[in-house]
Amino acid sequence: MPRKPMELSKQEEKLLDKAAVIEGTPPSGDDMAFTHAVLCQVGLPRSKVEDREFMRQSGAAWINIQAGWLDEGNGPVMQPIPYGPMPRLALAWVSTYAVRHKTREIPIGSSAAEFLRLMGMEKQGARYKTLRTQMHALAACHLQLGFKGRTFNGAPVEQFDAWIANHNDRQPSLWPGVMVLTDAYLSSLLESAVPLDARALQALKGSALQLDVYAWLAHRLHRIEGRGMVLHWKALREQFAQEYSGKDPDKDFKKQFLPALDKVKAVYPKANVKQVNGGLLLMGSQPPVPYRVD
C-alpha cells in the first residue's frame, strides 16, 4: 500500500512559499534588514531566564545582559531579561531603521498593532502581551557586547515611554511613538551592522533558534575561504545552547539544531553547509544580501 505524502503544516507551507520567493527574487529596497555583528555570533536567551543576569560567549565574541527597571506608570518595576523571537525581531527592525537613516530616533508606530505589522507579525491578542513584556525588558536592560578587545557598555535604549495597557478592548493599546537609542549603541551598530534578508526573518519569526542560526550563517559564511571549516557539535552547543546539560547534551542539542538548520537553508538557499561526522562543514557562500543592493 503506497505511503501517504506527509501533510505540511500551515507554518511549513508559509515557509516554503517564502523560500520560493527568496530564491527567485534577490532582495532589494525594504527587503534588506540589519543587525549588530556580535548578535550574529552570540544571541539573547531563547527561553525565560530566572536570574537577573545572562552571559554567553562564543570564541572571541560575548554578550552580557542585566535586567533593569522601568517606570510603568506607578513607579519602578523590575523587568525580566529579554528572551525569545520577539526582542530579536524588534532589535533587527530598530537597527534597520537606525542604519538606513543614521538616526537614534526610531518611530515605532502609534499602536501595538502597527508595530506588529511593521515587524511582519500577525495581530493576535497573545502577541500584544508578549510584545509589551519583551519590549519593556529590552528597553530596561543593560547590555554589554564584546569582541577582540572592544567592549560596548550600556543600554541600547536611552528613552522609552512604557506601554500603558488599555483595558478597553475596543480601543488600541497606546504605544510610544518614538524609541531613542543611545549614541554609543548607534555608533557601535553603524560600525558593525550585518545585512540580512527581512523576508527570511519574517519566515523564521516563530523560532529564536532559527533566527540565531540564520544571522550566524549570514555573518559567517561569506568570510570563509578555501576548503571550508568543520565545527563540532560541542562547539556549536557552546555557541547556541550552553543551557543544554545532562548525559549527552551534544546529542540532545543536535536533535534540535538540525531541523532548525533545514528551515534556515530553505530561506538562505546559497548557504553551503553540510552535516559531516561529528559536526558541520561550513564552506564559503554568497551572503543572503549582495554586497551592493540598488
Side-chain angles (χ1 to χ4, degrees):
M1 185 175 181
R3 295 177 60 185
K4 293 182 179 180
M6 293 181 62
E7 293 186 3
L8 297 177
S9 66
K10 290 184 178 180
Q11 185 178 7
E12 290 171 331
E13 289 179 351
K14 289 181 179 179
L15 178 69
L16 292 177
D17 290 342
K18 187 73 71 173
V21 172
I22 290 173
E23 187 168 17
T25 309
S28 62
D30 291 340
D31 296 333
M32 189 161 58
F34 294 93
T35 195
H36 199 292
V38 173
L39 293 176
C40 293
Q41 301 170 74
V42 284
L44 302 173
R46 285 191 294 279
S47 57
K48 187 175 181 180
V49 177
E50 299 298 338
D51 296 332
R52 311 309 304 169
E53 185 174 359
F54 175 85
M55 180 79 178
R56 175 169 284 160
Q57 181 172 359
S58 175
W62 57 274
I63 184 172
N64 178 274
I65 309 170
Q66 297 176 10
W69 297 81
L70 198 72
D71 192 317
E72 295 187 349
N74 294 307
V77 177
M78 174 63 82
Q79 303 299 315
I81 290 177
Y83 68 90
M86 188 74 77
R88 286 165 165 81
L89 292 167
L91 269 176
W93 189 87
V94 167
S95 298
T96 299
Y97 191 94
V99 171
R100 284 180 180 171
H101 299 279
K102 306 295 188 297
T103 181
R104 296 193 300 133
E105 296 188 0
I106 315 298
I108 59 175
S110 58
S111 71
E114 183 176 351
F115 192 43
L116 287 170
R117 178 186 60 78
L118 290 171
M119 292 196 299
M121 305 187 79
E122 294 85 357
K123 300 176 183 178
Q124 299 175 1
R127 296 281 194 190
Y128 293 119
K129 184 178 180 180
T130 301
L131 176 61
R132 180 181 186 273
T133 299
Q134 294 302 322
M135 288 301 294
H136 281 196
L138 186 63
C141 76
H142 179 86
L143 180 68
Q144 288 184 298
L145 302 173
F147 184 70
K148 291 186 177 180
R150 173 169 292 184
T151 304
F152 163 78
N153 286 298
V157 180
E158 178 177 290
Q159 179 179 319
F160 181 83
D161 295 330
W163 174 8
I164 307 301
N166 190 334
H167 298 291
N168 183 350
D169 293 336
R170 295 183 180 181
Q171 297 295 326
S173 297
L174 297 179
W175 186 257
V178 175
M179 172 186 287
V180 182
L181 302 180
T182 62
D183 275 324
Y185 186 76
L186 177 62
S187 177
S188 178
L189 175 65
L190 293 176
E191 288 180 3
S192 58
V194 175
L196 305 172
D197 192 326
R199 299 170 300 176
L201 296 180
Q202 291 182 13
L204 304 173
K205 63 191 175 188
S207 168
L209 178 58
Q210 291 170 26
L211 290 168
D212 284 349
V213 173
Y214 173 76
W216 168 60
L217 293 179
H219 176 252
R220 187 74 183 89
L221 290 181
H222 70 94
R223 297 183 294 115
I224 296 176
E225 298 178 353
R227 300 174 63 180
M229 60 183 298
V230 174
L231 293 179
H232 297 286
W233 289 116
K234 182 177 185 297
L236 289 165
R237 177 178 61 81
E238 290 176 348
Q239 177 173 355
F240 290 99
Q242 294 171 344
E243 63 271 19
Y244 276 76
S245 59
K247 186 177 180 180
D248 195 345
D250 294 345
K251 184 177 180 180
D252 293 340
F253 166 68
K254 177 182 174 181
K255 290 180 180 179
Q256 297 294 321
F257 184 89
L258 287 176
L261 178 62
D262 287 340
K263 291 181 173 61
V264 169
K265 291 174 68 175
V267 295
Y268 182 7
K270 295 178 181 178
N272 199 352
V273 181
K274 296 180 180 179
Q275 182 181 354
V276 295
N277 186 30
L280 295 179
L281 172 62
L282 275 58
M283 291 171 281
S285 311
Q286 295 182 36
V289 175
Y291 293 110
R292 292 184 178 181
V293 177
D294 296 332

